[in-house]
Amino acid sequence: MKVTILGSGTCGSQMPGVENRQPPAFVVQSETQTIMFDCSEGVRFRLEKAGFDYVKINHICISHSHPDHFAFVHFLQSIGCINSWLGPHNERIDLYAPRQITESFNTLWAMYTPDDPKREKRIWPHLEMHSMTNPDKQERRIGEHKLTSYRVYHGFGNVDACAFRLEADEKVFVYSGDTGECAGIREAAQGADLFLCEASARIHDVENPHKYGHLTPKVAGDIALKAGVKHLVFFHYTGLNTDDEMIANCRESGYEGELTIAKDFQVLTF
């Protein structure tokens, strides 16, 4: 299994003393499938830079509707244009997303594309929508792989958000999306070979995991420790704490497994 990090950052950039990084997006490759997790702004350019033919990506998992994770309209428009200019290159995309997205996407699309609000032109790939938060836990098959979603707490509990667990090639990959401390993320992380976990809350912001819904490195470490995670990877961190500070804060939880602070265009295998 291979994970390509297309964006390890947040919705903000150009902060003094902080290295700019792209917002979250990741490609997971097994022997038979290529799956993208979150689809943030400008992701097609990063896919190109990483060597992917972005037009051929057929499976996309969206954690929640915040635009630093969900800029799928822009992505779909680009594919439609390629289909129009060069002939059909991608005729179907399976979108696995919270119900808040799957039920409102057509309204959003019509706002962006009033000239074809129902996607009646043949240039558009067929969208197969999979609602992944109704009920709280959903399972889907992607080829021979199992994808499971878990509802997680985010945005004061007002954001319909989910974490994903992918079981493939006898490995377990877990993606937190944006989450606070909750039962869903602890269940999702169980026995993960690689746990790609957000760490947006600064190390002193101990209220955030229970209030707004972002994790500190220490709380993420506790989740990984109790779930038996082999390799914990932090993304979606602001950079306002140094890597060393984040690592030290995580280790305070007692987690002693492999720990990585994600960087854009890093490739991890497991």
Side-chain angles (χ1 to χ4, degrees):
M1 296 281 286
K2 181 168 70 173
V3 179
T4 301
I5 297 167
L6 301 173
S8 59
T10 65
C11 56
S13 58
Q14 293 188 339
M15 292 185 289
V18 175
E19 178 186 1
N20 286 340
R21 288 172 291 110
Q22 300 284 344
F26 310 88
V27 174
V28 177
Q29 295 170 280
S30 70
E31 292 183 0
T32 59
Q33 301 290 339
T34 297
I35 305 167
M36 187 162 72
F37 288 82
D38 277 341
C39 184
S40 54
E41 57 184 296
V43 72
R44 65 186 175 93
F45 301 107
R46 289 175 271 151
L47 285 162
E48 289 175 346
K49 183 176 178 179
F52 293 99
D53 184 350
Y54 74 85
V55 179
K56 295 181 180 178
I57 290 182
N58 302 107
H59 298 282
I60 302 176
C61 302
I62 305 293
S63 62
H64 64 293
S65 59
H66 281 158
D68 56 330
H69 296 257
F70 178 58
F72 179 67
V73 170
H74 312 71
F75 188 77
L76 182 61
Q77 182 197 35
S78 180
I79 291 175
C81 289
I82 296 297
N83 285 347
S84 174
W85 298 331
L86 302 180
H89 278 60
N90 189 339
E91 297 184 349
R92 170 173 167 152
I93 295 176
D94 284 75
L95 192 72
Y96 309 85
R99 184 175 62 175
Q100 202 170 61
I101 289 175
T102 59
E103 291 187 351
S104 63
F105 181 77
N106 287 336
T107 300
L108 179 65
W109 175 263
M111 291 174 61
Y112 273 91
T113 316
D115 51 312
D116 191 10
K118 296 183 180 180
R119 296 190 301 282
E120 294 176 324
K121 296 178 181 177
R122 296 184 62 186
I123 64 174
W124 309 115
H126 168 71
L127 289 187
E128 188 68 28
M129 296 283 193
H130 303 268
S131 177
M132 302 302 287
T133 56
N134 184 25
D136 290 357
K137 183 178 177 180
Q138 289 282 306
E139 292 185 1
R140 296 288 188 276
R141 305 299 298 194
I142 299 178
E144 68 276 26
H145 305 336
K146 183 169 77 170
L147 178 73
T148 309
S149 65
Y150 301 79
R151 187 186 293 272
V152 295
Y153 175 83
H154 183 52
F156 301 107
N158 296 321
V159 177
D160 192 14
C162 62
F164 290 100
R165 178 186 177 93
L166 179 68
E167 298 175 51
D169 297 349
E170 300 183 349
K171 298 288 185 178
V172 176
F173 166 79
V174 176
Y175 177 59
S176 70
D178 279 6
T179 183
E181 166 69 279
C182 61
I185 192 59
R186 289 188 176 272
E187 184 179 358
Q190 291 297 314
D193 292 283
L194 190 146
F195 179 25
L196 187 56
C197 184
E198 74 116 82
S200 300
R202 297 175 69 178
I203 61 177
H204 65 271
D205 192 359
V206 296
E207 291 186 352
N208 201 324
H210 304 276
K211 193 173 182 180
Y212 181 78
H214 279 306
L215 298 177
T216 64
K218 184 176 180 179
V219 174
D222 183 72
I223 294 169
L225 171 67
K226 292 175 179 174
V229 171
K230 294 179 181 177
H231 186 179
L232 175 61
V233 181
F234 286 147
F235 78 98
H236 207 29
Y237 55 93
T238 64
L240 294 170
N241 293 119
T242 67
D243 290 2
D244 287 344
E245 288 171 337
M246 292 178 65
I247 290 169
N249 186 247
C250 178
R251 295 302 187 195
E252 289 179 12
S253 69
Y255 178 72
E256 298 179 348
E258 188 173 358
L259 177 60
T260 298
I261 310 297
K263 305 297 180 185
D264 290 7
F265 298 105
Q266 186 175 18
V267 176
L268 303 170
T269 57
F270 64 102

